Amino acid sequence: MFNPFKYFEDFRASFGEEAALKLLKALSEIYENLAQTVTKVEFNELKEIVRQQGENLNLLTQRMGQLTQRVDQLTQRMDQLTQRVDQLTQRMDQLTERVDQLTQRVDQLTQRMDQLTQRVDQLTEDVRKLTQRMDQLTQRVDQLTQRMDQLTQRMDQLTQRMDQLTQRVDQLTEDVRKLTGEMGRMKDEMKEVRQHLGGLSITVGYTLENQAYKGLPPLLEKDHGLRVKDRLLRTFLADEKGRPLEVNIYGHAQRNGEEVVILGEAKAQLSKNDIDRFIRRKVKPLQKLLPRTFLVLVTHMISSPEVEEYARKKGIALYYSYELE
């Protein structure tokens, strides 16, 4: 009779408890079925087959143990390889980061190289231009050297001419010295003439002013409605800074009940420059001190036809000496 427990320990050692139980259960069912259907001879043959299968199973079990040991070795090796791969991966990450840094550096160096290349090209072009300029300057220097030789020759000729002129200048210097003495005497004589003319000019000016003092009041009243109070005179007035200004014609008058200051000057020959000078030197410095003024000029003759119109535009009354009589 088939005893399954005889093989249980072997099956359990080889396949494990659960697989051994299932295998024994299957063998038991096979045995029972065979017991009902086969003869003893067939049973013995089947028993031999089972024995052979058991031996094969033992060989398989032994082989599986070896494979299991090999799997353990391979698992250990795999763990070692996994650890090595992790180390290599970490090293690869470091190398990748280093490669990225080197790539960035290479890009910067490439850009710098491009800039340097461009600069070298520019310098090359500059050198070419400078070389061309140098050639032109060399040619120019050669021309100047030739010109200098010509000028040197000309200078020698001029030096010779200068020596001749120096001799002539010495002669002229002596003549000038003599003329200087004569000019000194002429200057003394001219000084006396100017002093004499200055005296005559002052005399003429005073004479014209004296005529104005007498002749202007009736003319101003008739032409401009100005009634002179007291008399016109020659005096000094202080400007706003307290500086004395000589005024040739000065006086007070009334017009339409208002007080008006008469301010004027006498000039033998009147020009537009004299009018501007009168306004600049006499009228403007006294403008703030004498806000209501009547301006008048007296002359023997004007220097040009437009002087009368110029005086009128400046608001100045103009009288000639013949009108004062």
Side-chain angles (χ1 to χ4, degrees), residues 39 44 63 82 101 120 131 170 192 231 234 250 303 321:
T39 63
N44 289 332
R63 181 61 177 168
T82 301
Q101 295 175 354
V120 167
T131 302
D170 292 338
E192 294 177 0
R231 59 190 178 85
R234 182 188 303 112
Y250 174 77
S303 61
S321 57

Side-chain angles (χ1 to χ4, degrees), residues 2-5 7-8 11 15 17-35 43 46 50 53 57:
F2 178 68
N3 185 7
F5 296 102
Y7 302 101
F8 177 74
F11 288 168
F15 305 108
E17 184 175 352
E18 184 177 356
L21 290 174
K22 289 181 179 181
L23 182 59
L24 288 174
K25 183 178 179 181
L27 290 175
S28 296
E29 291 178 355
I30 293 171
Y31 181 78
E32 290 178 359
N33 290 330
L34 290 175
F43 178 79
L46 179 62
V50 170
Q53 292 296 326
L57 184 61

Side-chain angles (χ1 to χ4, degrees), residues 201-219:
S201 178
I202 294 173
T203 300
V204 171
Y206 285 157
T207 302
L208 186 57
E209 291 171 13
N210 292 337
Q211 286 181 273
Y213 299 146
K214 296 178 181 180
L216 277 178
L219 292 174

Side-chain angles (χ1 to χ4, degrees), residues 21-277:
L21 290 174
K22 289 181 179 181
L23 182 59
L24 288 174
K25 183 178 179 181
L27 290 175
S28 296
E29 291 178 355
I30 293 171
Y31 181 78
E32 290 178 359
N33 290 330
L34 290 175
Q36 295 177 3
T37 58
V38 299
T39 63
K40 185 175 182 181
V41 174
E42 292 173 341
F43 178 79
N44 289 332
E45 291 176 356
L46 179 62
K47 185 176 180 182
E48 180 65 19
I49 292 171
V50 170
R51 186 188 63 78
Q52 292 176 357
Q53 292 296 326
E55 291 178 358
N56 292 334
L57 184 61
N58 290 331
L59 292 174
L60 289 173
T61 301
Q62 184 179 1
R63 181 61 177 168
M64 185 171 290
Q66 294 174 353
L67 291 174
T68 301
Q69 183 179 3
R70 181 61 178 169
V71 168
D72 292 339
Q73 293 174 353
L74 290 175
T75 301
Q76 183 178 3
R77 181 61 178 168
M78 184 66 71
D79 293 339
Q80 295 174 353
L81 290 175
T82 301
Q83 183 178 4
R84 181 60 179 168
V85 167
D86 292 338
Q87 295 174 351
L88 290 175
T89 301
Q90 183 178 3
R91 181 60 179 169
M92 183 65 70
D93 293 337
Q94 295 175 352
L95 290 175
T96 301
E97 182 179 358
R98 180 62 178 168
V99 167
D100 292 339
Q101 295 175 354
L102 290 175
T103 301
Q104 183 178 4
R105 181 61 178 168
V106 167
D107 292 338
Q108 294 174 351
L109 289 175
T110 301
Q111 183 179 4
R112 180 63 178 170
M113 183 65 69
D114 293 339
Q115 294 174 352
L116 289 174
T117 301
Q118 183 178 3
R119 180 61 178 166
V120 167
D121 293 339
Q122 293 176 353
L123 290 174
T124 302
E125 179 64 18
D126 292 341
V127 168
R128 187 189 64 79
K129 292 180 180 179
L130 286 174
T131 302
Q132 183 178 1
R133 182 77 180 277
M134 185 65 71
D135 293 338
Q136 294 174 352
L137 289 174
T138 301
Q139 182 179 1
R140 182 61 178 167
V141 167
D142 292 338
Q143 294 174 352
L144 290 174
T145 301
Q146 183 179 0
R147 182 63 178 170
M148 185 64 71
D149 293 337
Q150 296 174 354
L151 289 175
T152 301
Q153 183 178 359
R154 183 71 181 278
M155 184 66 72
D156 293 338
Q157 295 174 354
L158 289 175
T159 301
Q160 183 179 0
R161 181 61 178 169
M162 184 66 71
D163 294 338
Q164 295 173 355
L165 290 174
T166 300
Q167 184 178 0
R168 183 64 185 277
V169 166
D170 292 338
Q171 296 174 356
L172 291 175
T173 301
E174 180 63 22
D175 294 340
V176 168
R177 186 184 62 78
K178 295 177 180 179
L179 290 174
T180 302
E182 296 180 2
M183 287 294 293
R185 291 190 296 271
M186 291 178 65
K187 285 181 179 180
D188 293 338
E189 294 175 358
M190 288 296 294
K191 184 176 180 180
E192 294 177 0
V193 171
R194 282 197 299 270
Q195 291 176 350
H196 183 66
L197 290 176
L200 290 176
S201 178
I202 294 173
T203 300
V204 171
Y206 285 157
T207 302
L208 186 57
E209 291 171 13
N210 292 337
Q211 286 181 273
Y213 299 146
K214 296 178 181 180
L216 277 178
L219 292 174
L220 294 176
E221 184 175 3
K222 182 185 70 167
D223 297 336
H224 301 283
L226 290 169
R227 181 173 295 178
V228 178
K229 297 171 59 177
D230 298 329
R231 59 190 178 85
L232 298 177
L233 49 83
R234 182 188 303 112
T235 186
F236 286 91
L237 297 177
D239 62 9
E240 56 185 350
K241 294 183 179 180
R243 295 172 300 186
L245 292 179
E246 181 182 356
V247 179
N248 298 147
I249 301 173
Y250 174 77
H252 294 271
Q254 280 191 344
R255 180 168 59 184
N256 299 326
E258 293 181 345
E259 190 77 17
V260 179
V261 174
I262 298 172
L263 194 65
E265 192 170 85
K267 192 71 176 177
Q269 186 178 30
L270 184 67
S271 66
K272 290 196 294 185
N273 289 335
D274 294 327
I275 295 174
D276 292 336
R277 191 179 299 109

Side-chain angles (χ1 to χ4, degrees), residues 246 263 265 277-286:
E246 181 182 356
L263 194 65
E265 192 170 85
R277 191 179 299 109
F278 170 65
I279 294 173
R280 185 176 64 254
R281 293 183 179 180
K282 302 296 174 66
V283 178
K284 288 186 177 180
L286 299 172

